[in-house]
Amino acid sequence: MENTAPETFRMTDEQAGCLALYNEEDRRMMRLAEAAKSRGADRVEELVRFARAGGYRRLGIAHCVAVAKAAGNLALRLQEEFEVLRVDCKLCRIPAEALIDGGRGTACNPVGQARVLAGASTELNIAMGLCLGHDLLFAKHSAAPVTTLVVKDRVHGHNPIAALG
C-alpha cells in the first residue's frame, strides 16, 4: 500500500512510518547536517559550517587529557568565530578508587564535563578522545547536542576504522 507524503513524494507505509519518527528539531538537525556538507571540506570545516548554519555561538569541547594539544588547536580554530569552553576529563581530580572498585589513579569525569559545559550554557558540544563508555555518559548528561570529532583508539592513533581493514 502506498502513502503520499507532503510535496510530490510517494512513499510506502513503512517509509512514512520512518519519516514520522522525526520531529521538527530532528528535521532541523538534518537540514544543518546537509548545509555543513561540502566537497573537499574536512570534518573540522564541516563542524564550523554546521555551527554557523545552526546559529550556535557557544561551543564546548570535552576532551581526554591525551588529546589536550589537539583540543587546544581546535579551540584556537573555533575561537576565530565562536565562544569556546574546553574542559578535560580529569576535572575535579576524583580518585579512581572512590568512583569504581579497584580504580587506580585519577578518574575521568564525563558527567562533570557535561555539567561544566551546561553551566556555561554551551549550545553545541564536541567530544574529543573520551574513553568508550565515558563518551556515552558525556552525551547522556550533556544539555546541548553532542558531536564526536575524535574517538579514542590507543592502537590506531584515534582512527578505529583502521582495525576494519
Side-chain angles (χ1 to χ4, degrees):
M1 182 172 206
E2 299 250 339
N3 214 344
T4 304
E7 291 137 307
T8 60
F9 301 108
R10 297 201 44 85
M11 295 190 297
T12 65
D13 287 342
E14 180 183 24
Q15 290 170 325
C18 287
L19 182 61
L21 298 173
Y22 291 84
N23 65 27
E24 191 50 42
E25 180 58 24
D26 297 333
R27 288 171 177 255
R28 177 181 177 272
M29 203 64 66
M30 294 295 284
R31 287 190 300 272
L32 293 176
E34 192 64 30
K37 291 180 187 176
S38 178
R39 177 168 278 137
D42 63 26
R43 181 65 180 238
V44 173
E45 181 55 32
E46 285 188 352
L47 174 59
V48 169
R49 292 168 56 92
F50 183 92
R52 190 183 298 140
Y56 298 115
R57 299 300 314 146
R58 296 180 61 93
L59 308 183
I61 302 172
H63 65 90
C64 173
V65 293
V67 298
K69 182 178 178 184
N73 290 339
L74 177 64
L76 287 174
R77 167 65 180 90
L78 295 175
Q79 286 168 351
E80 295 171 12
E81 208 170 323
F82 307 97
E83 291 180 56
V84 179
L85 178 65
R86 269 176 62 193
V87 60
D88 76 52
C89 62
K90 300 300 183 180
L91 175 72
C92 298
R93 309 292 185 247
I94 300 169
E97 61 193 26
L99 188 59
I100 54 174
D101 291 338
R104 298 184 329 254
T106 303
C108 296
N109 186 1
V111 175
Q113 288 174 294
R115 294 285 168 95
V116 166
L117 295 178
S121 301
T122 56
E123 300 162 323
L124 177 65
N125 290 332
I126 303 155
M128 290 186 69
L130 301 181
C131 294
L132 180 63
H134 300 178
D135 56 352
L136 299 173
L137 285 169
F138 175 71
K140 176 183 176 181
H141 291 274
S142 179
V146 176
T147 188
T148 301
L149 183 62
V150 178
V151 295
K152 181 170 281 180
D153 187 313
R154 294 170 184 92
V155 173
H156 297 289
H158 308 302
N159 180 24
I161 200 167
L164 303 176

